[in-house]
Amino acid sequence: MTRSQSPERKESPNRTPSRTGMRLIVPLQGVVQGRGGLILGSLIPCALFYFLQFYLKRHRSQPRQRSASAANLPDLQRSSSRANLLARGSTVRAHVSARASPVAKPNDSPYYIGLDRLREDPYDEAANPEGVIQLGLAENRLSLDIIEAWLSRNLTGSMLGVGSDALGLTRLAAYQPMDGLMAFKVAMADFMTEVMGRTVPFDPSRLVLTSGATPAVEILSFCLADQGNAFLVPAPYYPGFDRDIKWRAGVELIPVHCRHCDNFTLNKLALEQAFNQARKRGQKVRGILISNPSNPVGNILNRDMMYDLLDFAKTRNIHIISDEIFAGSTYGDEEFVSMAEIVDLEDIDKDRVHIIYGLSKDFSIPGFRVGAIYTYNENVLAAARKLTRFSSVSTPTQQLLISMLSDKQFTLDYIKINRQRLRMMYDLFVAGLRELGLECAKSSGGLYCWVNMSSLMSTYSDKRELELWDKLLNEAKINVTPGSACHCIEPGWFRFCFTTLSEKDIPVVIERIRRVVKSFKPSV
Amino acid sequence: MELVLRNQEQVLSKIATSDGHGENSAYFDGWKAYDSDPYNPVNNPDGVIQMGLSENQLSFDLVQEWVLSHPEASLCTPEGAREFKDIAIFQDYHGLQEFRNAVARFMERVRGNRAVFDPDRIVMSGGATGAQETLTFCLADPGDAILVPTPYYPGNDRDLTWRTRVCLFPVICDSSNGFKITREGVESAYYKAQDSNLRVKGLLINNPSNPLGTVLDRETLTECLRFTQDKNIHLICDEIYSATVFRQPGFVSIAEIMQENLSRCDPNLVHIVYSLSKDLGFPGFRVGILYSYNDAVVTTARKMSSFGLVSTQTQRLIASMLSDESFVEMFLQESTRRLGTRHRMMSKALAQVGIGSLRGNAGLYGWMDLRRLLKAPTFEAEMELWHVIIDDVKINVSPGASFHCSEPGWFRVCFANMDEETMVVALYRICKFVVHNKESPENVDRRKPCQRRSKLEISVSFRRLKDELLMTPRSAMVQVKE
């Protein structure tokens, strides 16, 4: 640099630039030749090293955008972090904390916008036949009548507790365990054993009960990772994870993209790549979060993949969180295998495996708020137990459910009939979609199907996907979840939940979708 | 490299491995003593009596009676089961409208209809614990500070700081003025915090106070409001004991002060934390309420309430119960009457043996002054005394140090978490202990060097004392034996 300039500068009266250059080059040369002495020999390389790190750090500010996807698609969810930056620079007196500002902003994810829209204009066959039909919330309304029937058959004083423990009302003398009454843990453990196929007995003492699976996921995040650390998560994934893991625990989610060609199953190579890229960026990965059966696709992890995951976690010394909340909602031919079964069989590395469960999906009672963390790790158990004070299950609800879940015949019948009904609805719905030329990914569980609507998009982009979603919501009046809300890397996929419908609603829904499909493809 | 080294070790977070939960504090030693040797009048009459648990068990029979006579309120009855489907599937974080309406109305009733609460500002949470934590997440960032007058409920250390990583900065109050909060005290703490490079985000006050058992008067509340407005920091009012005020002066809520000063203050800085655990006596319901005058806080906290929603079955039950105006009226009156009676019983018994307590009119506990029983005015002496009380007297009371009290010798003793018989036994034990161990009795004449040898032995017949304790105030007649 200086050398090329020095011929010109030789003519200038000021000889300093060339001398400056020489002052720099000679010592460097000296250092290289080993003549610089200890101070120069260590100072200059240190200074260079420091400036290199500084440079790298500054250019590391948008890691996810560069490495997350090859297609370089804009990610909707990232707008929340942009909003955070805006909030910081805002001149308005900030009354909420910096970490609450992004949460305070109106929901910009289609997942939440759809739910809000539905709240304003919900479909009712009689009262509001033109309202928005809910296909965007994974709740199961197919089998509530079975539970209601049980209630009317079994309404004895025992639940309400005439003369005895009414709704847990007298259970006050002793300090109540925040992580659930033992009797309730026993009932939950038995139910889980049943639901997961009776292949592994669940131990009540490893259960920590919480008010829903949402706090269960958050509590695990707080226990397994520090703020700024990350979990790897196969994408597409349940949009709620962004809330559960990022908002307050401050743990990042690194998507490991799954593709249609693999039927959206986890690819080992992609997992390795994601982990290595995170490490290069300096992001500490503390665990992998899998959902099995998966949400939103509905596929089930096979045994081989589970062994691979365990190996992967072991070699990298990270945790596995297995969200098995849909374990009882399987309807396909594939066999569901719980992570607990694998760990139990092999007796390997139990300390790194943690399972999430709850009664919201399989037992259709999301309102009652019952979630569970099942872990083999004593330290996690101890910490999680203390954390449940912020999210405990209501005692009267526990009392009611102890009675319900202890009726083994009832739970067996319920699980069986529920599965049959799920299968029936799935078949009907998928057949209806097929008539319209829409195919679904192969799935065996969950309360939804993963539909490929890319044929309706003029270009293969997130923008077109959102336009299609908007059309479906505002013209067809159905609330579905677009793949981008689930961080799906391939545009055009939508999650349709069919368990909020009754059989007679299906033709109504299909007809509405047909209207939209026709507007794109008149031949249908 | 690092992977091989850590292969054997499962790495957990700092939160999981730290002491932020506070359960290693001395506060819990008493609990452990109780758990290992709990009092039972029949099976274990020499066991430890729990007087460290601030729960209201005096009136749960009223609630129980209501529940049994209103089967339609519970889902598990033929009358109620019809609603099961809709209730079980409802998971909207706004909560049932009827629930919010009923809670707002109840809060108004507790304040003598002097304040108005908007049901749309009511946000659910997992108990008051969850409400405190959520509010802290909303108002403060990691490293920020919240001022808290001492002595304060030890749970605050956990609820406001453990996961939020916010810190609590004490506002020292002492017995010279009955532990009242003063503007000078708050200001001094505020500037001290700032000098320590802490960003103060709010002031947390507890009204009625735990552990003091007193209510904040209008002037103090107004001063706190003014101060926080001046400094543009938040005012968080924990009013969880609002319906436990059993004697004059009555309860004044920050909501009333707000209403009177609406034009002069910024409502965005005022928030109320509430719960039904203490007033109704049912901690198991896990009903925490966050009420904020700040729209952004309401929106944010409501979204965060997904982490601690109240079971819809419970919402339904509470909505029905609290909408029954005549029941609420009767309950509030009867509950406070029972609390007052029990409190009187305790203070009289203690007074008879020269134990003073802070003149309280609310809460489920008394703030006992045992300074005279300390060997020295130090916290070590307090801890020593406490261990004697647990191990010899077999009572679990809570030492002032666990409440961050600045003066040693104060103890919180709960009176509402047991039946009357147990209370009598507990009081008898305390009185006997005090009488045997008085270092400096009221009678100055007895302060002799050979005090020990001339120590009076007061023998009180159990039956006599029981009669005394249960009757209305009369001077105690004790048999004195030399």
Side-chain angles (χ1 to χ4, degrees):
Chain A
M1 58 193 168
T2 320
R3 273 205 185 146
S4 56
Q5 286 172 7
S6 51
E8 294 146 20
R9 299 218 188 245
K10 257 184 189 164
E11 283 140 25
S12 75
N14 192 356
R15 290 168 63 206
T16 323
S18 61
R19 282 194 64 173
T20 314
M22 296 313 287
R23 278 204 193 120
L24 182 61
I25 288 170
V26 167
L28 275 180
Q29 197 171 28
V31 167
V32 165
Q33 290 172 348
R35 277 186 279 118
L38 186 65
I39 294 175
L40 277 180
S42 50
L43 257 185
I44 291 173
C46 283
L48 285 176
F49 181 72
Y50 169 76
F51 285 121
L52 181 67
Q53 291 300 312
F54 186 64
Y55 173 82
L56 285 177
K57 214 173 177 179
R58 284 187 77 168
H59 288 74
R60 209 195 289 152
S61 54
Q62 288 100 49
R64 272 163 280 129
Q65 277 160 1
R66 266 213 308 263
S67 60
S69 68
N72 251 348
L73 294 165
D75 186 341
L76 284 172
Q77 255 49 43
R78 271 182 232 119
S79 61
S80 62
S81 60
R82 272 185 241 124
N84 195 11
L85 295 171
L86 286 172
R88 280 183 207 272
S90 170
T91 52
V92 173
R93 254 181 7 187
H95 282 131
V96 293
S97 60
R99 60 180 155 191
S101 294
V103 179
K105 300 219 177 302
N107 288 315
D108 56 2
S109 161
Y111 178 69
Y112 294 105
I113 295 176
L115 293 180
D116 288 341
R117 183 86 178 73
L118 188 119
R119 211 176 273 130
E120 293 160 22
D121 182 20
Y123 171 80
D124 184 289
E125 198 189 347
N128 188 17
E130 292 307 309
V132 180
I133 299 184
Q134 177 69 291
L135 294 164
L137 191 58
E139 61 183 30
N140 184 358
R141 292 177 184 252
L142 304 180
S143 310
L144 277 165
D145 58 307
I146 305 177
I147 305 181
E148 221 175 66
W150 183 91
L151 273 178
S152 45
R153 278 197 314 271
N154 292 276
L155 290 171
T156 59
S158 64
M159 243 183 305
L160 199 45
V162 175
S164 68
D165 209 347
L167 297 177
L169 298 181
T170 45
R171 220 180 258 275
L172 292 171
Y175 176 70
Q176 284 183 350
M178 290 288 175
D179 60 325
L181 303 168
M182 194 31 127
F184 187 42
K185 284 187 189 176
V186 169
M188 275 296 285
D190 285 346
F191 185 72
M192 285 169 77
T193 305
E194 201 49 61
V195 145
M196 312 247 183
R198 255 177 280 145
T199 48
V200 56
F202 281 85
D203 177 357
S205 64
R206 298 195 187 291
L207 268 178
V208 171
L209 299 176
T210 57
S211 54
T214 296
V217 173
E218 195 196 36
I219 286 173
L220 267 187
S221 307
F222 270 112
C223 287
L224 305 180
D226 294 311
Q227 179 163 32
N229 293 158
F231 290 151
L232 294 172
V233 54
Y237 62 83
Y238 161 55
F241 282 153
D242 289 324
R243 168 199 60 200
D244 302 346
I245 294 170
K246 292 185 189 173
W247 276 13
R248 307 194 312 183
V251 177
E252 288 303 329
L253 286 176
I254 301 175
V256 180
H257 293 287
C258 305
R259 298 175 186 279
H260 177 210
C261 54
D262 296 323
N263 195 44
F264 295 97
T265 51
L266 188 55
N267 180 299
K268 240 179 13 178
L269 201 57
L271 190 62
E272 302 252 2
Q273 253 181 350
F275 182 87
N276 292 332
Q277 279 170 355
R279 200 157 53 149
K280 281 198 197 117
R281 285 194 301 267
Q283 245 181 333
K284 193 164 177 196
V285 173
R286 299 299 280 265
I288 314 169
L289 167 63
I290 53 170
S291 63
N292 178 29
S294 83
N295 182 1
V297 180
N299 51 24
I300 288 177
L301 272 182
N302 62 35
R303 282 178 194 271
D304 288 337
M305 192 65 226
M306 291 168 89
Y307 282 114
D308 287 341
L309 277 171
L310 281 165
D311 283 336
F312 181 84
K314 183 173 177 171
T315 47
R316 284 152 186 78
N317 195 21
I318 58 178
H319 295 273
I320 297 181
I321 304 172
S322 180
D323 181 354
E324 301 185 352
I325 202 176
F326 291 100
S329 304
T330 51
Y331 46 77
D333 307 315
E334 285 176 72
E335 176 208 16
F336 169 75
V337 177
S338 165
M339 195 54 95
E341 191 187 326
I342 306 286
V343 166
D344 199 60
L345 277 173
E346 303 293 310
D347 200 25
I348 41 172
D349 253 358
K350 280 182 157 156
D351 274 359
R352 62 176 86 253
V353 172
H354 321 277
I355 295 171
I356 299 273
Y357 190 63
L359 296 181
S360 305
K361 314 293 182 187
D362 291 347
F363 208 58
S364 319
I365 50 171
F368 285 12
R369 314 309 305 150
V370 179
I373 297 172
Y374 189 82
T375 177
Y376 298 89
N377 187 320
E378 290 300 329
N379 295 322
V380 172
L381 265 180
R385 272 188 195 126
K386 296 184 179 105
L387 284 169
T388 54
R389 66 181 324 99
F390 300 107
S391 323
S392 293
V393 187
S394 167
T395 311
T397 303
Q398 293 189 57
Q399 291 292 111
L400 173 58
L401 290 173
I402 289 170
S403 303
M404 246 192 241
L405 299 181
S406 304
D407 185 340
K408 292 279 163 37
Q409 193 53 53
F410 163 65
T411 54
L412 272 171
D413 289 342
Y414 175 88
I415 295 168
K416 194 171 106 197
I417 300 174
N418 185 44
R419 282 198 165 116
Q420 285 168 356
R421 291 182 184 184
L422 275 173
R423 178 79 213 210
M424 187 196 64
M425 287 297 281
Y426 173 78
D427 287 342
L428 274 174
F429 196 73
V430 168
L433 290 174
R434 200 168 282 137
E435 270 174 43
L436 303 175
L438 298 172
E439 286 300 324
C440 303
K442 180 169 174 302
S443 62
S444 309
L447 308 177
Y448 35 75
C449 47
W450 189 234
V451 185
N452 188 356
M453 300 185 88
S454 55
S455 56
L456 301 181
M457 295 177 352
S458 52
T459 56
Y460 193 60
S461 69
D462 271 358
K463 188 161 174 254
R464 293 281 171 253
E465 182 187 275
L466 279 178
E467 278 172 13
L468 179 53
W469 166 73
D470 192 80
K471 243 190 149 98
L472 287 167
L473 182 61
N474 293 307
E475 289 179 22
K477 301 287 218 75
I478 57 173
N479 177 33
V480 292
T481 311
S484 48
C486 305
H487 305 267
C488 184
I489 199 169
E490 299 182 14
W493 291 84
F494 287 76
R495 186 188 76 167
F496 283 66
C497 300
F498 51 79
T499 50
T500 47
L501 308 171
S502 59
E503 228 179 294
K504 56 183 161 62
D505 293 329
I506 293 188
V508 177
V509 172
I510 298 294
E511 191 47 47
R512 289 190 185 192
I513 303 176
R514 187 192 300 276
R515 286 205 298 261
V516 169
V517 171
K518 260 191 172 147
S519 68
F520 286 97
K521 295 199 306 201
S523 57
V524 171
Chain B
M1 347 153 231
E2 55 181 289
L3 298 169
V4 173
L5 287 170
R6 291 211 308 243
N7 228 3
Q8 304 308 320
E9 187 194 11
Q10 298 311 315
V11 186
L12 297 185
S13 68
K14 294 191 193 87
I15 285 178
T17 49
S18 74
D19 273 346
H21 48 78
E23 281 175 33
N24 292 337
S25 91
Y27 183 52
F28 288 94
D29 280 353
W31 287 69
K32 291 171 194 158
Y34 169 75
D35 283 340
S36 57
D37 184 22
Y39 170 81
N40 183 292
V42 176
N43 304 331
N44 190 16
D46 293 324
V48 176
I49 298 181
Q50 175 68 286
M51 294 188 92
L53 180 59
S54 168
E55 301 295 0
N56 185 357
Q57 296 179 16
L58 300 188
S59 309
F60 76 77
D61 58 306
L62 301 174
V63 176
Q64 195 168 22
E65 204 191 295
W66 189 93
V67 169
L68 291 176
S69 53
H70 292 81
E72 70 283 0
S74 334
L75 294 178
C76 38
T77 56
E79 297 86 340
R82 257 174 274 125
E83 308 210 13
F84 175 81
K85 256 196 228 163
D86 294 325
I87 296 293
I89 206 82
F90 184 85
Q91 55 175 324
D92 187 332
Y93 58 33
H94 288 81
L96 295 171
Q97 184 71 52
E98 47 173 355
F99 171 74
R100 280 182 288 127
N101 290 346
V103 170
R105 187 78 199 101
F106 179 73
M107 288 170 75
E108 287 171 358
R109 293 289 290 282
V110 166
R111 289 151 183 77
N113 292 318
R114 296 183 300 272
V116 176
F117 287 95
D118 177 2
D120 290 337
R121 291 193 176 281
I122 290 199
V123 176
M124 293 181 284
S125 61
T129 297
Q132 290 276 33
E133 199 202 33
T134 299
L135 192 54
T136 309
F137 270 117
C138 291
L139 303 180
D141 289 302
D144 290 345
I146 293 182
L147 302 176
V148 194
T150 65
Y152 63 80
Y153 163 58
N156 285 337
D157 289 321
R158 171 198 56 216
D159 301 344
L160 277 85
T161 72
W162 190 14
R163 296 196 295 187
T164 60
R165 290 169 298 130
V166 164
C167 66
L168 293 183
F169 199 87
V171 176
I172 310 289
C173 302
D174 57 54
S175 58
S176 59
N177 65 345
F179 295 97
K180 272 198 166 149
I181 302 170
T182 59
R183 171 112 189 182
E184 296 72 40
V186 179
E187 255 181 8
S188 149
Y190 177 81
Y191 290 119
K192 252 201 209 116
Q194 289 207 317
D195 288 341
S196 320
N197 281 324
L198 289 170
R199 204 169 37 194
V200 178
K201 278 294 176 70
L203 169 65
L204 168 66
I205 57 179
N206 190 210
N207 177 29
S209 160
N210 178 6
L212 301 177
T214 53
V215 293
L216 294 183
D217 56 34
R218 196 169 273 277
E219 290 70 43
T220 310
L221 281 168
T222 312
E223 273 307 321
C224 289
L225 181 63
R226 266 202 213 115
F227 176 81
T228 50
Q229 292 281 316
D230 288 344
K231 300 283 184 255
N232 193 31
I233 60 176
H234 295 276
L235 181 60
I236 305 162
C237 303
D238 180 353
E239 300 190 342
I240 197 181
Y241 292 99
S242 49
T244 63
V245 180
F246 47 79
R247 199 173 47 219
Q248 288 301 316
F251 173 63
V252 178
S253 165
I254 194 69
E256 296 171 52
I257 308 291
M258 275 294 290
Q259 260 165 229
E260 289 158 20
N261 291 281
L262 214 47
S263 52
R264 280 181 292 242
C265 68
D266 179 3
N268 288 314
L269 296 173
V270 183
H271 323 273
I272 298 175
V273 168
Y274 185 57
S275 164
L276 298 178
S277 307
K278 312 296 180 185
D279 290 347
L280 282 188
F282 283 100
F285 282 175
R286 310 307 303 152
V287 177
I289 302 290
L290 211 162
Y291 188 91
S292 176
Y293 293 91
N294 181 323
D295 291 339
V297 171
V298 170
T299 311
T300 312
R302 182 162 284 140
K303 291 181 193 173
M304 288 186 184
S305 64
S306 299
F307 298 113
L309 291 176
V310 177
S311 162
T312 43
Q313 181 209 16
T314 307
Q315 287 186 45
R316 181 84 179 72
L317 181 63
I318 299 286
S320 302
M321 203 192 305
L322 298 184
S323 307
D324 186 343
E325 305 255 334
S326 56
F327 167 74
V328 169
E329 180 89 40
M330 181 277 293
F331 179 86
L332 289 175
Q333 260 179 6
E334 184 58 20
S335 171
T336 48
R337 189 195 68 77
R338 292 182 188 186
L339 284 170
T341 307
R342 187 62 75 83
H343 180 265
R344 242 189 332 272
M345 177 183 173
M346 185 184 76
S347 14
K348 286 269 173 297
L350 294 177
Q352 278 177 14
V353 291
I355 296 292
S357 36
L358 191 66
R359 187 166 168 74
N361 64 325
L364 311 173
Y365 35 75
W367 190 231
M368 222 170 32
D369 182 359
L370 297 183
R371 285 178 294 179
R372 288 181 298 114
L373 296 184
L374 291 182
K375 291 214 170 81
T378 62
F379 285 108
E380 288 75 28
E382 182 187 92
M383 190 59 74
E384 215 183 298
L385 175 59
W386 182 51
H387 277 113
V388 167
I389 296 177
I390 296 178
D391 301 330
D392 298 344
V393 189
K394 304 288 207 100
I395 304 241
N396 178 31
V397 292
S398 314
S402 60
F403 295 90
H404 302 272
C405 186
S406 55
E407 297 172 18
W410 293 87
F411 287 77
R412 187 190 75 172
V413 57
C414 300
F415 57 76
N417 63 314
M418 63 195 77
D419 57 30
E420 207 164 307
E421 285 71 33
T422 312
M423 186 74 198
V424 168
V425 173
L427 289 174
Y428 174 66
R429 287 185 189 180
I430 297 176
C431 293
K432 197 166 122 182
F433 165 72
V434 168
V435 158
H436 278 295
N437 287 280
K438 261 191 194 171
E439 290 286 324
S440 50
E442 256 124 289
N443 193 343
V444 179
D445 293 338
R446 287 196 202 131
R447 296 193 72 164
K448 288 174 193 162
C450 49
Q451 184 185 324
R452 287 220 178 130
R453 276 190 283 133
S454 64
K455 194 166 71 173
L456 291 175
E457 207 178 323
I458 298 180
S459 149
V460 181
S461 76
F462 183 66
R463 210 186 150 80
R464 200 76 184 270
L465 182 61
K466 186 176 175 179
D467 291 341
E468 291 297 332
L469 292 169
L470 293 179
M471 287 193 309
T472 44
R474 213 169 286 177
S475 52
M477 307 259 286
V478 296
Q479 285 172 329
V480 174
K481 257 200 304 202
E482 284 213 326

